């Protein structure tokens, strides 16, 4: 068993004198645990083991020990959590409400220990109790309620808002089953239910006393005071709260996730009469809203209906919660007792992420008009000033358009409001542009009997932003060009970022220590300090320290890979990583073709003798309904098996397919990568934050000029990255001329050999035709221009290999990449939101020191 002492592994069977000497020689930059703190943790741990879990050491499992420690850590968070809310209610600051359908929080335990500054005390306490901290941390499941990068970005936002002291709530859905667990069986992806709540979650606190009713279906009728939504079906939204502690500033914000609960109880009469199914049918139907993460909208009408209900459920419940909190504020009070909403935007800003949360706009209009009896103009002004919209997608397929018929069925009153919004929008266009009716109606929110939710998000917001300069310009020039002409001041750019707390300080302690020795301990919240590392890029001692950190990380990963997959890999090989969603637009095809090209050189070209081995890691999930994505996974695993077992290659190239890629696996892989691949065709990626995580950890990027890569190139320079392929304008030009992938295939002998091998069954000897359709699709369609970029990509990968041989040059590039990473901190992103959109101020100066929190509460 290894003990994690700060960041230095020490064998637990060493005698105590050796351990104490090591403590003195190798002091962790995170500090030394005080005896009283360690004793307090031990006492809290034992208390929870006995009184919360009702276990003793004789019968407790490893998961019980994890639960006891997690509850102990939560004890240290709670006083800060309550005090943060007390200060907010006293000061009544403007609050940010961050709505997202997806959250990928990963594991909480280590992150929470680090953020409240008790990791060393917990580590020492567990060691004294004879427990392995790393084993306890591995017992925790991931809160992975996300299908892609949106969920991880949302988690970074919450971490940053808390660390910067910004009063904020996150809102989402507590899906009973999160993102599926991926299993690779016989080379194929299989999906298991992610039953993340099976063993309970120590971090959540249910708040059944704060339930809100959410309405569906029904009809709209006239009443004495206006339009009334009646005869609805009601589902209760039950909140579950998670603490989000800031980094060592005593601020603890809240993530509130909603679960659906039926208003119908168990129908005992039906049950007693023998109708067992009907006794629970209505209840199950209502609670299906949050049972499983939203399905792909295009699958079936039923799936569309569930997804629409999920989106509205989130927006309605969250808005009721926001309004309830606002009604308790002083600025909302009037002498008549009626709530004054004219100051609503002064105290609340609702950040809508993607089109999923745009239902906030018609829902707030409904409440203001039907319930609070404001005029249309007054209500629209309040909505417009209190909502902001971030578009996170560049592909049109990701911009939701809901069938009018479905909205009319599920949300009839909202459909009326949407018609009115569209009417006033068109009237404004006619007045502003003075064009003919055909042109105006071509800009309608409604087309082909569907309502455009992206346009709704723009129309109903005070600000609209993209998530990289390239993406924001694309929104202005293409996606929302006419709306941009109408209100150019509304559009702005705020480039995404990543949290350095989890994506360097937590996941890569060896590198963190090297950096802290040079910069001190403030850089996790002041990542711009990394800029000063530029002057050390040719410092031999610092270069050796950076290189040693990478070597240590790689050695640990080698052991993990061997234990999990039974594959031996060379720790000194070039670790080449591509970890993304498996989809055609991510262009894993290029990576596949490069792997096969290297394999052919090694196997058939006796003159080819590379100076270093290469280990290629590929990870990611395909959507359950994406047959092409699943075929790509099968192809990768088939190629990996042939190459890894070929004695002629002698391990010079190994391919590792990472199963069930998520936050926990990312924390293992990212610190070890020498090269990180980002291969999307320009115009496909809005921003992309995975490359920011990799460069922060000293990986060199192989990428196209897509998304935020353009900004990274401007910071670090072309010479410190590996850029390949056509740019956006060149892609458009090739599209206009006409692109024939078959011609490229015929003209490049290496490419032709690779594709012929795959199609002929060379990599699938048990089913020779297994990948023929996949290859034919690439040769006839190739909508992402894989073959057009193949030659330049192979040339660039050859340059990667040549450069990696020059260790001094490589390490200099690594340091330069780390140094510019401060520009891509999520803290910079959130500060820009706070200044340019939210107009909010941090409140950290009002919070007490950690030791005083409990005293104040008492």
């Amino acid at each position: 068993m290894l003990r994690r002492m700060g960041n230095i592994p020490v064998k637990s069977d060493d005698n105590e004198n050796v351990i104490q000497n090591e403590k003195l020689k190798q002091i962790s930059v995170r500090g030394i645990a005080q005896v009283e703190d360690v004793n307090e943790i031990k006492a809290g741990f034992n208390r929870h083991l006995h009184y919360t879990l009702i276990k003793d050491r004789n019968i407790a499992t490893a998961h019980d020990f994890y639960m006891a420690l997690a509850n102990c850590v939560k004890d240290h968070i709670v006083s800060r959590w309550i005090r943060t809310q007390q200060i907010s209610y006293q000061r009544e600051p403007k609050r940010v409400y961050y709505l997202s359908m997806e959250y990928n929080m990963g594991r909480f335990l280590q992150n929470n220990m680090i953020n409240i500054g008790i990791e060393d005390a917990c580590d020492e306490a567990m060691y004294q109790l004879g427990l392995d901290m790393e084993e306890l941390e591995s017992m925790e499941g991931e809160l992975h309620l996300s299908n892609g990068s949106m969920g991880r970005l949302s988690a970074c936002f919450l971490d940053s808002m808390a660390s910067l002291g910004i009063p904020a709530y996150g809102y989402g859905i507590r899906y009973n089953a999160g993102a599926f667990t991926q299993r690779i069986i016989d080379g194929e992806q299989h999906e298991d239910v992610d039953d993340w709540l099976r063993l309970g979650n120590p971090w959540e606190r249910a708040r059944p006393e704060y339930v809100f009713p959410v309405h569906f279906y029904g009809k709209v009728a006239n009443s004495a005071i206006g339009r009334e939504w009646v005869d609805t079906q009601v589902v209760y939204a039950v909140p579950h709260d998670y603490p989000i502690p800031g980094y060592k500033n005593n601020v603890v914000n809240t993530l509130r996730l909603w679960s659906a609960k039926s208003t119908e109880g168990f129908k005992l009469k039906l049950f007693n009469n023998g109708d067992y199914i009907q006794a629970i049918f209505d209840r199950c139907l209502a609670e299906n809203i949050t049972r499983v993460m939203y399905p792909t909208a295009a699958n079936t009408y039923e799936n569309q209906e569930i997804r629409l209900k999920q989106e509205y459920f989130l927006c309605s419940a969250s808005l009721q919660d926001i309004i309830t909190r606002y009604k308790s504020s002083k600025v909302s009070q009037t002498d008549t007792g009626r709530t004054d909403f004219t100051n609503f935007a002064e105290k609340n800003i609702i950040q809508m992420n993607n089109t999923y949360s745009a239902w906030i706009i018609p829902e707030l209009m409904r409440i203001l008009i039907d319930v609070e009896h404001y005029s249309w103009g007054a209500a629209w002004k309040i909505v417009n000033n209190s909502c902001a919209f971030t578009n996170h997608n560049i592909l049109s397929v990701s911009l939701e358009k809901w069938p009018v018929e479905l909205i009319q069925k599920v949300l009839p009153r909202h459909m009326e409001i949407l018609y009115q919004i569209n009417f006033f929008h068109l009237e404004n266009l006619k007045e502003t542009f003075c064009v003919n009716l055909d042109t105006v109606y071509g800009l309608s929110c409604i087309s082909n009997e569907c309502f455009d939710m992206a346009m709704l998000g723009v129309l109903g917001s005070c600000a609209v932003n993209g998530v990289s300069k390239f993406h924001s310009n694309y929104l202005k020039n293409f996606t929302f060009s006419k709306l941009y002409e109408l209100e150019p001041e509304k559009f702005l750019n705020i480039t995404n970022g990543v949290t350095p707390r989890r994506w360097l300080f937590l996941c890569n302690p060896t590198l963190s220590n090297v950096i802290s020795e040079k910069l001190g301990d403030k850089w996790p919240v002041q990542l711009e300090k990394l800029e000063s590392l530029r002057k050390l890029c040719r410092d031999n001692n610092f270069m050796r320290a950076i290189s040693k950190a990478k070597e240590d990380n790689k050695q640990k990963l080698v052991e993990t890979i061997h234990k999990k997959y039974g594959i031996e890999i060379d720790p000194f090989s070039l670790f080449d990583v591509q970890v993304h969603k498996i989809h055609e637009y991510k262009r894993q095809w290029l990576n596949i073709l490069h792997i096969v090209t290297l394999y052919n050189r090694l196997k058939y070209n006796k003159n080819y003798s590379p100076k270093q081995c290469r280990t290629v890691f590929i990870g990611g999930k395909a959507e359950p309904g994406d047959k092409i994505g699943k075929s790509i996974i099968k192809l990768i695993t088939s190629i990996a098996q042939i190459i890894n077992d070929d004695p002629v290659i002698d391990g010079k190239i190994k391919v590792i397919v990472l199963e069930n890629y998520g936050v926990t696996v990312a924390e293992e892989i990212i610190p070890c990568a020498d090269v990180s691949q980002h291969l999307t065709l320009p115009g496909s990626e809005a921003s992309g934050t995975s490359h920011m995580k990799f460069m922060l950890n000293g990986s060199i990027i192989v990428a196209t000029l897509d998304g935020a890569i353009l900004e990274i190139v401007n910071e670090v320079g072309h010479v410190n990255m590996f850029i390949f392929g056509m740019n956006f304008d060149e892609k458009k030009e090739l599209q206009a001329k006409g692109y024939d992938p078959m011609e490229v295939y015929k003209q490049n002998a290496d490419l032709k050999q690779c594709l012929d091998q795959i199609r002929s069954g060379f990599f699938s000897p048990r089913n020779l035709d297994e990948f023929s359709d996949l290859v034919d699709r690439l040769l006839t369609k190739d909508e992402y221009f894989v073959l057009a970029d193949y030659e330049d990509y192979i040339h660039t990968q050859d340059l990667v290999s040549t450069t990696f041989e020059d260790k001094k040059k490589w390490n200099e590039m690594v340091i330069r990449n780390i140094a510019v990473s401060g520009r891509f901190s999520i803290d910079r992103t959130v500060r820009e939101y706070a200044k340019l959109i939210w107009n909010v101020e941090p409140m950290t100066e009002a919070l007490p020191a950690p030791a005083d929190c409990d005293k104040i509460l008492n």
Side-chain angles (χ1 to χ4, degrees):
M1 184 175 74
L2 292 181
R3 173 197 177 195
R4 198 182 61 214
M5 186 187 67
N7 300 314
I8 309 301
V10 179
K11 292 182 180 179
S12 60
D13 55 359
D14 283 351
N15 63 61
E16 204 60 33
N17 289 333
V18 172
I19 293 175
Q20 294 302 325
N21 289 335
E22 285 296 318
K23 282 186 179 181
L24 293 175
K25 290 190 293 183
Q26 309 253 17
I27 297 176
S28 167
V29 296
R30 295 175 184 172
I32 301 176
Q34 301 297 312
V35 173
E36 58 271 22
D37 295 334
V38 173
N39 289 338
E40 183 182 357
I41 297 294
K42 288 164 64 179
F45 174 88
N46 285 321
R47 183 176 67 253
H48 280 293
L49 186 63
H50 296 156
Y51 298 110
T52 303
L53 300 174
I54 316 176
K55 296 280 186 77
D56 65 16
R57 293 290 293 271
N58 295 319
I59 62 172
T61 65
H63 188 268
D64 292 327
F65 293 140
Y66 154 72
M67 291 288 284
L69 177 59
N71 277 288
C72 178
V73 173
K74 189 170 71 173
D75 288 347
H76 288 74
I77 294 174
V78 165
S79 56
R80 295 166 169 87
W81 197 4
I82 295 174
R83 187 58 178 155
T84 300
Q85 301 308 312
Q86 288 177 336
I87 293 294
S88 291
Y89 277 102
Q90 290 168 10
R91 294 178 57 190
E92 295 189 355
K94 186 175 185 179
R95 291 185 178 92
V96 176
Y97 294 104
Y98 189 91
L99 268 68
S100 177
M101 287 288 287
E102 302 182 25
Y103 287 95
N104 187 0
M105 306 300 295
R107 292 172 173 169
F108 283 91
L109 179 59
Q110 188 181 6
N111 190 71
N112 287 349
M113 290 189 298
I114 287 173
N115 279 9
I116 63 173
I118 63 170
E119 188 193 25
D120 289 294
C122 290
D123 195 46
E124 179 66 24
M126 294 304 101
Y127 172 70
Q128 291 185 16
L129 290 171
L131 298 172
D132 182 346
M133 177 63 87
E134 290 189 4
E135 181 184 6
L136 298 188
E137 290 170 351
S138 72
M139 291 295 103
E140 182 176 11
E142 291 188 30
L143 193 160
H144 187 184
L145 310 179
S146 173
N147 276 334
S149 57
M150 180 67 224
R152 187 53 236 167
L153 180 67
S154 298
C156 285
F157 262 86
L158 296 188
D159 174 87
S160 180
M161 288 188 287
S163 295
L164 295 176
I166 291 175
Y169 272 75
Y171 285 115
I173 292 181
R174 182 180 178 266
Y175 307 100
N176 291 50
F180 64 87
T181 299
Q182 181 195 56
R183 296 284 177 255
I184 305 295
I185 302 173
D186 294 330
E188 297 182 342
Q189 171 177 293
H190 293 259
E191 300 94 26
D192 292 341
V193 173
D194 178 21
D195 191 6
W196 64 287
L197 293 169
R198 182 174 64 89
L199 297 175
N201 192 309
W203 306 106
E204 77 171 16
R205 173 66 182 175
R207 303 288 192 185
E209 67 273 25
Y210 298 138
V211 299
F212 292 106
V214 179
H215 298 258
F216 298 101
Y217 306 113
K219 62 184 179 181
V220 185
N222 289 316
S223 68
I225 54 176
R227 301 290 279 166
E228 189 176 0
W229 190 13
V230 297
D231 299 336
T232 59
Q233 292 183 15
V234 179
V235 177
Y236 287 139
V238 182
H240 296 74
D241 290 351
Y242 289 77
I244 307 295
Y247 180 73
K248 297 183 180 179
N249 65 350
N250 308 318
V251 172
V252 182
N253 285 338
T254 302
L255 167 61
R256 177 159 286 184
L257 301 179
W258 302 101
S259 63
K261 184 175 177 59
S262 174
T263 58
E264 300 284 342
F266 182 76
K267 296 179 180 179
L268 187 60
K269 184 177 180 180
L270 288 173
F271 180 81
N272 289 334
N273 290 334
D275 195 350
Y276 311 123
I277 302 299
Q278 194 61 43
I280 62 170
F281 179 76
D282 291 338
R283 180 175 179 176
C284 290
L285 198 63
E287 295 177 2
N288 279 344
I289 293 173
T290 58
R291 201 172 301 281
V292 181
M293 235 189 109
Y294 54 81
T296 302
N299 280 356
T300 65
Y301 184 87
E302 291 75 14
N303 280 357
Q304 283 187 315
E305 188 170 344
I306 291 174
R307 184 163 177 174
L308 174 59
K309 291 171 74 173
Q310 288 179 333
E311 293 180 10
Y312 176 70
F313 177 82
L314 167 64
C315 292
S316 176
S318 302
L319 192 52
Q320 290 181 74
D321 195 42
I322 293 167
I323 289 174
T324 300
R325 195 171 293 110
Y326 174 71
K327 285 186 174 183
S328 69
S329 67
K330 299 182 184 68
V331 298
S332 70
Q333 308 302 316
T334 63
D335 295 336
T336 63
R338 180 190 177 194
T339 302
D340 181 5
F341 280 86
T342 57
N343 298 313
F344 187 77
E346 294 180 14
K347 293 297 181 181
N348 307 282
I349 183 70
I350 302 170
Q351 185 64 49
M352 302 179 297
N353 286 285
N354 264 355
T355 52
Y356 315 133
S357 48
W359 290 106
I360 279 287
I361 295 166
E363 174 67 352
L364 185 50
M365 287 295 290
R366 183 190 68 82
I367 292 171
L368 292 172
I369 293 170
D370 295 356
V371 180
E372 302 296 337
H373 309 302
Y374 278 79
S375 68
W376 179 274
W380 185 250
K381 183 178 180 180
I382 294 168
V383 170
N384 210 248
N385 289 333
S386 55
C387 295
F389 176 57
T390 299
N391 179 284
H392 292 273
N393 296 107
I394 202 165
L395 298 177
S396 58
V397 70
S398 301
L399 301 177
E400 285 186 313
K401 295 181 180 179
W402 285 107
V404 169
E405 179 186 6
L406 181 60
I407 302 174
Q408 183 69 49
K409 173 187 174 183
V410 179
L411 304 168
R413 177 58 179 138
H414 296 77
M415 193 64 247
E416 290 186 345
I417 293 171
L418 292 176
Y419 276 132
Q420 287 182 275
I421 290 172
N422 192 48
F423 171 78
F424 287 118
H425 160 58
L426 294 179
E427 289 296 305
N428 191 22
L429 283 173
K430 285 193 290 185
E431 182 179 332
T432 303
F433 293 106
C434 300
V435 294
N436 61 60
L437 288 178
D438 288 341
T439 301
V440 169
Y441 289 124
L443 296 170
S444 172
C445 297
I446 301 174
S447 62
N448 299 319
E449 297 299 316
C450 290
F451 195 93
D452 189 325
M453 299 302 290
M455 290 186 71
L456 175 66
V458 175
L459 295 174
S461 301
C462 63
V464 179
N465 71 284
V467 291
S468 70
K469 287 182 179 179
F470 174 82
H471 177 228
S472 298
N473 288 333
Y474 191 91
L475 296 181
K476 295 175 185 178
N477 297 327
F478 297 99
T479 311
F480 304 125
S481 57
K482 282 297 180 184
L483 299 180
Y484 173 64
E485 289 182 40
L486 192 65
E487 297 179 283
E489 71 285 351
K490 182 184 282 190
F491 289 78
L492 63 155
N493 172 69
I494 302 179
T495 300
N496 282 340
V498 298
T499 172
R501 269 79 61 182
R502 182 179 289 271
W503 295 115
L504 179 53
F505 196 69
L506 181 155
C507 75
N508 196 345
T510 52
L511 178 58
S512 295
N513 278 351
V514 173
I515 293 172
S516 294
E517 287 175 6
K518 296 295 182 182
L519 304 182
D521 60 358
K522 300 297 183 184
W523 62 264
V525 285
Q526 298 174 16
L527 202 62
E528 62 275 9
K529 286 181 174 290
L530 295 185
E531 180 67 26
S532 62
L533 296 178
R534 282 181 185 267
K535 64 179 181 290
L536 299 174
C537 67
R538 294 180 181 174
D539 183 302
N540 290 330
N541 291 331
F542 187 68
M543 291 171 74
R544 278 193 293 269
I546 290 289
S547 181
K548 181 64 164 57
K550 181 74 73 175
E551 289 172 9
D552 290 347
N553 291 331
K554 290 169 74 172
Q555 183 60 55
K556 184 177 179 181
L557 181 63
V558 166
E559 297 167 4
T560 299
I561 294 297
H562 183 257
K563 181 178 179 181
K564 185 171 183 178
Y565 301 106
I567 301 175
E568 296 277 0
I569 57 178
D570 180 359
F572 298 101
S573 64
L574 189 157
F575 280 22
D576 180 352
V577 179
Q578 186 186 17
V579 281
H580 296 288
K581 179 179 182 178
I582 306 295
H583 191 280
E584 285 182 287
Y585 96 90
K586 292 291 188 180
R587 299 209 296 182
Q588 280 88 6
W589 255 122
L590 278 171
N591 200 356
I592 291 168
L593 293 171
H594 175 242
I595 293 168
V596 176
T597 300
L598 283 185
Y599 174 72
N600 288 335
R601 288 176 180 176
L602 289 164
K603 191 173 181 69
Y604 303 116
N605 186 350
K606 296 180 180 180
N607 296 323
Y608 181 71
S609 180
K611 292 184 179 180
Q612 86 280 322
C613 301
R614 183 183 289 240
T615 305
V616 182
F617 298 86
I618 302 178
K621 301 176 181 179
E623 291 288 344
D626 182 5
K627 293 181 180 180
I628 302 300
K630 287 187 170 183
S631 294
I632 290 172
I633 291 176
K634 176 65 172 176
L635 174 58
I636 295 169
T637 57
S638 299
I639 291 172
Q641 184 173 0
I642 295 295
I643 291 177
N644 293 345
D645 293 343
D646 192 330
V648 175
I649 303 306
D650 193 27
K652 291 185 176 63
I653 179 171
K654 288 287 182 73
V655 182
I656 311 298
V657 181
L658 300 168
E659 185 180 61
N660 199 39
Y661 183 75
V663 172
T664 301
V665 178
E667 290 170 357
E668 296 175 333
I669 293 295
I670 290 174
C672 306
D674 294 306
V675 164
S676 170
Q677 298 201 50
H678 310 271
L679 311 181
T680 55
L681 182 68
S684 303
E685 197 80 81
S687 175
T689 54
S690 62
H691 41 62
M692 300 172 187
K693 298 165 191 169
F694 278 98
M695 68 184 295
L696 181 61
N697 284 270
S699 173
I700 310 300
I701 295 172
V702 175
T704 57
L705 291 172
D706 196 24
I709 291 291
L710 288 155
E711 292 163 76
I712 293 176
V713 169
N714 288 338
E715 294 292 328
V716 74
H718 278 83
V719 294
N720 295 302
M721 300 173 66
F722 298 101
I723 302 299
F724 77 95
M726 66 189 82
N727 60 32
F728 182 74
D729 292 335
E730 290 168 340
K731 180 198 79 170
K732 300 293 285 185
E733 183 180 344
L734 183 55
Q735 282 177 324
K737 288 195 310 183
Y739 167 55
D740 184 359
M742 185 63 74
E743 283 299 313
V744 181
Y745 160 80
K746 292 176 180 178
Q747 293 171 10
N748 190 302
D750 289 338
L751 173 62
K752 187 176 186 302
Q753 181 184 14
C754 293
L755 290 175
D756 288 348
Q757 286 174 305
I758 295 169
R759 183 163 50 183
S760 67
F762 181 91
F763 294 105
S764 53
R766 289 185 296 177
N767 182 357
L768 298 180
D769 294 326
E770 184 161 13
F771 303 116
S772 59
D773 289 345
L774 195 62
V775 173
D776 288 342
R777 177 182 173 87
L778 189 65
L779 290 173
T780 56
K781 194 173 182 181
D782 194 15
E783 60 183 303
Y784 297 107
F785 295 75
V786 170
L787 304 191
D789 274 344
Y790 167 81
E791 187 172 359
D792 193 25
Y793 175 70
I794 296 298
H795 171 74
T796 301
Q797 285 285 16
D798 290 341
L799 181 60
V800 169
S801 297
T802 302
T803 308
F804 189 70
E805 294 172 10
D806 186 343
K807 297 303 180 184
K808 186 172 183 179
K809 181 179 179 180
W810 188 270
N811 287 329
E812 182 179 334
M813 293 171 66
V814 165
I815 295 169
R816 291 187 185 277
N817 274 268
I818 296 171
V820 304
S821 296
R823 172 72 180 84
F824 302 100
S825 168
I826 191 66
D827 295 339
R828 185 269 313 152
T829 303
V830 169
R831 288 190 186 101
E832 290 181 9
Y833 271 90
K835 179 181 179 181
L836 301 176
I837 298 177
W838 300 338
N839 190 28
V840 295
E841 296 291 338
M843 48 175 269
T844 51
E845 72 280 357
L847 293 172
D852 298 329
C853 284
D854 290 317
K855 296 177 184 176
I856 290 173
L857 291 178
N858 293 331

